[in-house]
Amino acid sequence: MGYVDLHLHTTASDGVMSPSEIVRYAKAKGLQAIAITDHDTIGGIAEGLEEGEKLGFEVIPAIEISAEYSPGSMHLLGYFIDTHHPLLNEKLGELQKARAERNPRMVEKLNRLGIQITYEEVLKASGGGQVGRPHFAQVLVEKHYVRNFQEAFDRFLKKGAPAYVDKFRFAPKEAIHFINEARGVAILGHPNTLGLNGYSAMEHLLLELIQDGLKGIEVYYPEHSSSEIAQYKSLAEKYGLLMTGGTDYHGIEKNGLDIGVGRGEMKLPYSLVEALKMARNQS
Ligand code: AMP
Ligand code: FE
Ligand code: FE
Ligand code: ZN
């Protein structure tokens, strides 16, 4: 059996490869299956599935939803979602609306900081998909206001930076609910970004999310340390949660990170996908 990557972005959100490109790339790399997990949008799924069918390559329809949480950020992954589900589409529509209101405000803030940037330039950078901060970063780099992508975030775009504008997010419970309604398997993405300290804080949160319908944790992730991986694994075993993993490849990387392998440390067996399928069939 081959290897898989269950966390990938395309041009439908803030990745640089189109859905069909990423499917072809994954196949060329020798992977057995991938999941397309764009932020807050299913806009890339149809194209990805179609390319997969054409090539005889397994593509899992999925999504990554940003949920309301502090002190850090919470991303909920939904695997095998039914992309035609009305509630899912209604909720994603609300997120699109929130972005449409937020993005021009970020342009205004940048303009007030003396940066000449237009919304049209950002739209162009997005390539027609959903617009996000990475597209702002790209324009700032292209126009030489910053030297690189990371500097754009650090100086202007990250939370608390002068051009940052917050956007509406669903409560975790609501995001998990509509993932489940759309027959998706809800997984807590990269728990190390939650800003939680220690095992018991993590355990407490997980118990709450399990009540809300969470089915698993993304254990394997390039930014997880080996002790974090051990902690998430032990909690998953304790509560019978699924364990997933992926690289979160956007194509704009980041110290040699690549699809499927991360920085060389990742080997995610196809059995992760089989476990997700079993969970889906049980609910
Ligand atoms: P948005 O959905 O528009 O708020 O943009 C969020 C995306 O920006 C994330 O998915 C990352 O790809 C990227 N991002 C967020 N924070 C940072 C950061 N501090 N450094 C680099 N990229 C970031
Ligand atoms: Fe992203
Ligand atoms: Fe994420
Ligand atoms: Zn992601």
Side-chain angles (χ1 to χ4, degrees):
M1 273 204 311
Y3 297 113
V4 303
D5 191 332
L6 303 180
H7 193 150
L8 297 168
H9 294 270
T10 77
T11 46
S13 65
D14 54 3
V16 301
M17 285 191 197
S18 71
S20 41
E21 281 168 343
I22 209 153
V23 171
R24 287 198 293 273
Y25 188 54
K27 181 169 181 169
K29 288 274 176 174
L31 293 177
Q32 185 173 351
I34 59 168
I36 292 177
T37 56
D38 279 308
H39 301 285
D40 303 339
T41 179
I42 52 172
I45 301 294
E47 183 187 319
L49 290 177
E50 198 175 303
E51 188 68 17
E53 249 163 63
K54 220 162 79 189
L55 301 179
F57 183 85
E58 185 170 358
V59 177
I60 297 160
I63 192 154
E64 179 175 28
I65 307 277
S66 305
E68 188 64 53
Y69 188 75
S70 72
S73 58
M74 183 188 289
H75 289 180
L76 292 159
L77 297 158
Y79 291 100
F80 291 105
I81 41 165
D82 169 8
T83 55
H84 300 292
H85 195 279
L87 182 67
L88 174 72
N89 281 278
E90 182 192 316
K91 296 296 177 182
L92 296 183
E94 290 177 37
L95 294 176
Q96 300 311 316
K97 198 166 147 257
R99 277 180 190 272
E101 284 163 10
R102 172 234 216 176
N103 289 327
R105 291 178 55 208
M106 293 198 23
V107 173
E108 274 171 38
K109 277 195 155 182
L110 285 164
N111 289 162
R112 255 184 262 135
L113 291 162
I115 288 170
Q116 290 176 23
I117 180 174
T118 65
Y119 193 49
E120 286 63 42
E121 290 170 319
V122 182
L123 271 179
K124 194 161 161 252
S126 77
Q130 171 175 269
V131 176
R133 281 180 286 161
H135 306 116
F136 285 81
Q138 194 180 319
V139 176
L140 292 176
V141 174
E142 277 164 14
K143 299 186 83 170
H144 304 290
Y145 283 109
V146 291
R147 273 159 301 189
N148 57 51
F149 191 84
Q150 196 54 50
E151 190 185 325
F153 271 90
D154 292 342
R155 281 181 53 201
F156 298 109
L157 302 170
K158 73 177 182 196
K159 195 170 182 169
Y164 177 74
V165 178
D166 208 0
K167 66 180 185 306
F168 168 77
R169 292 176 176 83
F170 289 110
K173 184 179 178 150
E174 188 166 10
I176 292 172
H177 174 71
F178 70 72
I179 288 171
N180 277 310
E181 286 290 305
R183 291 207 60 218
V185 183
I187 305 284
L188 179 61
H190 44 70
N192 75 329
T193 64
L194 292 164
L196 284 177
N197 265 324
Y199 189 92
S200 74
M202 187 67 211
E203 182 168 37
H204 188 84
L205 173 69
L206 271 179
L207 284 170
E208 225 169 85
L209 296 178
I210 290 168
Q211 289 271 317
D212 297 337
L214 187 83
K215 302 289 165 33
I217 319 181
E218 186 174 52
V219 172
Y220 306 102
Y221 189 78
E223 313 307 330
H224 287 172
S225 67
S226 51
S227 67
E228 284 167 341
I229 290 176
Q231 180 192 126
Y232 305 145
K233 237 174 128 167
S234 123
L235 283 164
E237 277 159 7
K238 183 164 177 188
Y239 294 106
L241 291 166
L242 296 167
M243 297 183 241
T244 67
T247 58
D248 209 357
Y249 182 73
H250 284 68
I252 27 171
E253 335 287 338
K254 282 180 177 164
N255 332 322
L257 183 107
D258 201 2
I259 189 171
V261 294
R263 299 192 182 91
E265 78 288 8
M266 281 226 194
K267 269 190 188 317
L268 304 167
Y270 186 78
S271 57
L272 299 183
V273 174
E274 290 172 329
L276 282 169
K277 286 181 179 171
M278 286 230 302
R280 191 190 196 216
N281 290 332
Q282 275 160 14
S283 60

